[in-house]
Amino acid sequence: MLITGGAGFIGSYLAERLLPDNEVVTIFDNFSRDAIAASDVIGHPRLRIIRGDILDAEAVQDAVAGHDVVFHCAAIAGIDTVGRSPVTTLKVNVMGSINVLDAAAAQDDVRRVVCFSTSEVYGRRANRVKEDADASVGPPGEPRWTYAAGKLAEEHLASAYHIEHGLPTVVLRPFNVYGPRQVGEGAVRSFILRALSGQPVEIRGDGSAVRAWTFITDMVEGACLAVSVPGAIGGHFNIGNPNGSITVADLAAKVVLLSSSSSKVVFVPATGVDVAERIPDIAKASQVLGFAPRVDLDEGISLTIKALQSQS
């Protein structure tokens, strides 16, 4: 099995999950984010690491060769990162996806390509939203929508390759994944690090935005089901935990409480466009994949706090 972006947060957990049951797990990554270094799989005899750029079509083709399953996690994400590099974001998320799909379509024995999209394709408001709801990307010029537009293009590409070339693709739309070893700009990680250090926990805006938080192991379970269930092919699935829904302000307060921290929650001006609600309907994932999130928010935050405490 091949994981593009396998050194990243989700990719590293996928590698951990897959290694016990597979002869070889290959990760293809440029290591711009390196979550796998903190995992237990580095040095595993069945882990193969290929350093490469998803924009290098020849390198991607070589990496995909010989693999029957491809998890396409490689992407540029994070509001601040996207804001700094919108051109690279679009190139990586669109052209990189084309490279992966082209390489997979050129193989005779690929049985699944799982593409990781985002709940951002639902636009500003997504309350218990279903997969067949209209996608909504905001106007050009706002960095947040650069990321969403690139990921929506990836979804259309995955469907097009399935329709035109018979490539067995599956698209997953993750909702706010968090957990130990997260890298980048996730709110849970940021809040916990500030709480553990006694710094003010900063909220951009008024904190009224609602998110449904999904623990990393539940996300990985959804990805594995997308490979094992025949009926997943050609489908798009929300992967999230509706029961983990909470306002950003309440999330910050919960993190402070569970961290036993004396940090204050403070509000700072918002930068850019925010999204009011991000809550999935997971009925389709439940019915078709058998997906059911298992880790509730308090447990997931506590596990993440414990992991970050051990690193300090």
Side-chain angles (χ1 to χ4, degrees), residues 6-270:
F9 176 43
I10 295 175
S12 68
Y13 272 90
L14 261 174
E16 272 186 345
R17 172 69 180 273
L18 296 171
L19 277 166
D21 301 317
N22 291 276
E23 291 185 6
V24 177
V25 173
T26 303
I27 65 171
F28 178 86
D29 206 304
N30 65 2
F31 284 81
S32 59
R33 289 185 175 180
D34 188 3
I36 203 166
S39 72
D40 295 329
V41 301
I42 293 296
H44 194 289
R46 295 197 295 274
L47 179 68
R48 181 184 178 215
I49 297 175
I50 302 175
R51 289 181 177 266
D53 193 324
I54 203 73
L55 293 177
D56 184 338
E58 186 175 344
V60 172
Q61 189 170 30
D62 289 344
V64 170
H67 294 91
D68 64 340
V69 173
V70 178
F71 292 96
H72 178 36
C73 301
I76 290 186
I79 296 299
D80 293 338
T81 302
V82 170
R84 290 191 298 268
S85 306
V87 172
T88 304
T89 297
L90 283 169
K91 284 183 176 180
V92 168
N93 294 352
V94 178
M95 296 169 64
S97 297
I98 291 173
N99 289 340
V100 171
L101 292 163
D102 269 344
Q107 305 297 312
D108 293 328
D109 56 353
V110 172
R111 61 185 177 89
R112 207 67 52 96
V113 179
V114 181
C115 292
F116 286 70
S117 181
T118 174
S119 59
E120 291 283 305
V121 301
Y122 290 117
R124 296 173 188 265
R125 190 172 295 276
N127 189 348
R128 304 281 174 170
V129 68
K130 296 179 182 292
E131 290 85 350
D132 59 359
D134 288 343
S136 176
V137 176
E142 170 55 49
R144 177 176 216 120
W145 306 128
T146 302
Y147 172 66
K151 281 297 185 179
L152 185 57
E154 179 185 336
E155 290 202 27
H156 282 287
L157 284 163
S159 294
Y161 274 79
H162 174 61
I163 293 167
E164 185 170 341
H165 299 296
L167 190 66
T169 58
V170 183
V171 172
L172 304 182
R173 292 172 175 167
F175 278 70
N176 295 94
V177 183
Y178 73 100
R181 299 207 311 267
Q182 185 171 16
V183 291
E185 304 155 20
V188 173
R189 176 178 180 270
S190 175
F191 289 175
I192 291 174
L193 288 174
R194 284 184 166 272
L196 291 177
S197 63
Q199 299 179 67
V201 176
E202 293 184 345
I203 296 173
R204 296 179 182 179
D206 64 5
S208 64
V210 178
R211 300 287 184 271
W213 297 94
T214 310
F215 194 66
I216 181 61
T217 55
D218 286 331
M219 179 69 238
V220 169
E221 177 64 18
C224 291
L225 289 168
V227 170
S228 63
V229 176
I233 293 174
H236 296 233
F237 299 93
N238 294 332
I239 302 296
N241 187 350
N243 294 326
S245 302
I246 192 172
T247 67
V248 174
D250 286 342
L251 174 69
K254 184 181 287 290
V255 165
V256 170
L257 177 65
L258 293 175
S259 302
S260 300
S261 172
S262 59
S263 292
K264 303 296 184 183
V265 176
V266 299
F267 298 85
V268 298

